[in-house]
Amino acid sequence: MNKRNFIKAMGLGGLALAKPALPALAAGTAKAAQSMEKMGVQHRVWINPNPKEKADELKKRYATYRKAGITDLFFEADSEVHFRAAQASGIKAHRWIWTMNRGEKELLASHPEWYAVNRKGESCSNHPPYVDYYRWLCPSKPEVVNYLKSQVEQALSKDYVDGIHLDYVRFCDVILPVNLWSHYGIDQSKELPEYDFCYCSDCRSAYKTTYGKDPLEIEHPDQSPSWRKFRYDRITHVVKNLAQVAKQHNKPISAAVFPTPEIAKRIVRQDWTNWPLNAVMPMIYHGFYRENITWIGDAVAEGVKTLHGAFPLYAGLYLPDFNNNYNDLREAVKLAVDNGAAGVSIFGSMTPEVLRVLAESV
């Protein structure tokens, strides 16, 4: 299921051609900031490609994207015709993959032991939370890390793939955005055990080796700073391994993440400001959190400040939240850029009006 269908099912409605490459993580904050300044404002778009579309039609479409300042595209499926059409238009084409949320039937059947376990002892393999395709792998298992590395290796080995883009690189949402609580008839003002992951034997054993206690023996595990940090570090370990694969191919790695460092840590155990990336796209979908567009600038500022110039941030904007109000979209893009974003990353239909708004900002 692609991300558009995922968002619909959840009850809503969670890029650099022949220009300078994305700055390397270890370049140093001053050098990274200089590289970002030279790049200017650039935009990205998430796309679920239709393989039936023809190359000539795609080249014309992507040429209009490039004129609007869109320098990179994230494709949710491997469609060579789309990748090459984007490249022919001067746009870099990245393979966008689901990372920890993997519900392939073959994988579920062959390796149910790879899946995360909640605090009630239920596995995602046969008790998926919220929706049927929420099947989260456990990041503590070496077999899982190796499997994901092989997936990234397979994608980046193709000459028409310019980079890898990670999505769902986190634990399951222990708390959903407030806009979804009524949809599921739940109150998540506190962490509930059926949505709290992962308590499999591997995670518990690894935590106990370091901290001397099984997390299930902690009276209030949801309040334990060390148990939270352990899980941040599990996901970071996965990202580091995938980044090594990208480095071996000399191709950039980026990620779609939760909107701010604080929110990401609190509700999905995601410590993205400490990942070895080339760029990050926080999904600052203001409607999900019942916020107005002013919050987009606040979220960008928090992320940029915490990154300390390590790599550029592109503010993820969810077009349905704007209800075709292009003045609001224009203001959102301005808020993002004024607060330090290198550009925006768009999720939604790329209409001529949207392209005009983006073109005005570059």
Side-chain angles (χ1 to χ4, degrees):
M1 179 175 289
N2 66 50
K3 194 166 184 177
R4 286 175 175 79
N5 289 337
F6 171 79
I7 289 176
K8 183 178 179 181
M10 291 290 277
L12 295 170
L15 317 160
L17 65 236
K19 283 203 169 192
L22 293 171
L25 176 67
T29 56
K31 187 175 180 181
Q34 291 172 1
S35 297
M36 290 166 60
E37 184 178 349
K38 290 178 181 178
M39 290 166 63
V41 175
Q42 300 180 349
H43 303 306
R44 281 94 171 98
V45 179
W46 286 292
I47 293 177
N48 182 32
N50 181 352
K52 296 181 180 180
E53 292 181 305
K54 303 301 182 183
D56 289 345
E57 174 188 351
L58 291 171
K59 288 177 183 177
K60 291 178 182 177
R61 181 189 308 161
Y62 293 149
T64 65
Y65 284 17
R66 186 62 191 90
K67 290 179 181 177
I70 296 166
T71 59
D72 296 65
L73 299 178
F74 302 131
F75 290 108
E76 196 176 7
D78 184 1
S79 177
E80 184 173 353
V81 64
H82 280 264
F83 281 70
R84 295 203 184 278
Q87 291 166 336
S89 303
I91 296 175
K92 284 191 174 179
H94 304 251
R95 180 68 169 90
W96 163 20
I97 67 168
W98 287 27
T99 312
M100 303 309 299
N101 184 14
R102 304 295 295 242
E104 298 93 325
K105 291 182 179 179
E106 300 79 7
L107 194 62
L108 282 166
S110 59
H111 292 291
E113 74 280 5
W114 286 6
Y115 286 81
V117 174
N118 67 21
R119 203 183 337 150
K120 294 176 67 176
E122 299 167 336
S123 171
C124 281
S125 66
N126 52 21
H127 284 84
Y130 305 117
V131 286
D132 186 62
Y133 44 88
Y134 243 30
R135 312 279 184 154
W136 297 87
L137 296 171
C138 170
S140 291
K141 303 182 189 302
E143 300 88 349
V144 167
V145 178
N146 289 334
Y147 170 75
L148 295 174
K149 287 172 66 177
S150 72
Q151 295 292 299
V152 173
E153 172 70 33
Q154 182 180 1
L156 293 180
S157 294
K158 297 177 179 179
D159 67 339
Y160 55 84
V161 175
D162 291 316
I164 196 77
H165 181 66
L166 308 178
D167 200 359
Y168 294 103
V169 57
R170 56 183 178 85
F171 283 94
C172 172
D173 324 54
V174 67
I175 297 173
L176 290 172
V178 66
N179 212 34
L180 290 177
W181 293 5
S182 60
H183 176 77
Y184 288 99
I186 54 179
D187 182 342
Q188 291 188 324
S189 52
K190 65 178 182 179
E191 295 185 8
L192 302 175
E194 55 265 47
Y195 308 114
D196 184 16
F197 293 85
C198 173
Y199 290 80
C200 75
S201 58
D202 289 328
C203 283
R204 289 163 56 195
S205 176
Y207 176 81
K208 186 173 183 178
T209 296
T210 301
Y211 294 99
K213 183 180 288 190
D214 186 324
L216 285 177
E217 297 173 355
I218 301 172
E219 183 179 2
H220 298 290
D222 57 314
Q223 298 301 314
S224 170
S226 61
W227 177 226
R228 286 176 182 248
K229 182 181 184 301
F230 173 86
R231 289 176 287 178
Y232 305 156
D233 292 346
R234 292 296 87 193
I235 296 297
T236 298
H237 174 71
V238 171
V239 176
K240 286 180 177 178
N241 274 269
L242 303 186
Q244 280 297 317
V245 177
K247 184 177 180 180
Q248 290 165 7
H249 286 270
N250 197 29
K251 294 180 179 181
I253 182 170
S254 60
V257 298
F258 269 50
T260 71
E262 185 276 329
I263 291 173
K265 283 185 172 183
R266 175 166 49 87
I267 68 178
V268 293
R269 324 302 191 195
Q270 189 184 61
D271 186 19
W272 53 262
T273 61
N274 287 307
W275 291 354
L277 300 174
N278 296 100
V280 69
M281 292 78 201
M283 297 175 289
I284 310 175
Y285 298 172
H286 60 288
F288 286 33
Y289 300 90
R290 297 182 180 174
E291 296 286 352
N292 61 33
I293 61 172
T294 302
W295 178 67
I296 293 170
D298 296 339
V300 167
E302 181 184 335
V304 169
K305 180 179 179 180
T306 312
L307 282 171
H308 299 293
F311 45 81
L313 179 154
Y314 297 85
L317 303 181
Y318 182 60
L319 290 182
D321 277 347
F322 293 92
N323 297 312
N324 295 320
N325 186 327
Y326 299 109
N327 287 329
D328 277 359
L329 178 61
R330 185 175 292 105
E331 180 63 17
V333 174
K334 184 178 187 300
L335 282 166
V337 173
D338 287 351
N339 281 280
V344 299
S345 193
I346 298 293
F347 188 85
S349 299
M350 297 301 295
T351 64
E353 292 82 2
V354 172
L355 292 172
R356 277 196 288 272
V357 169
L358 296 180
E360 292 171 4
S361 66
V362 299

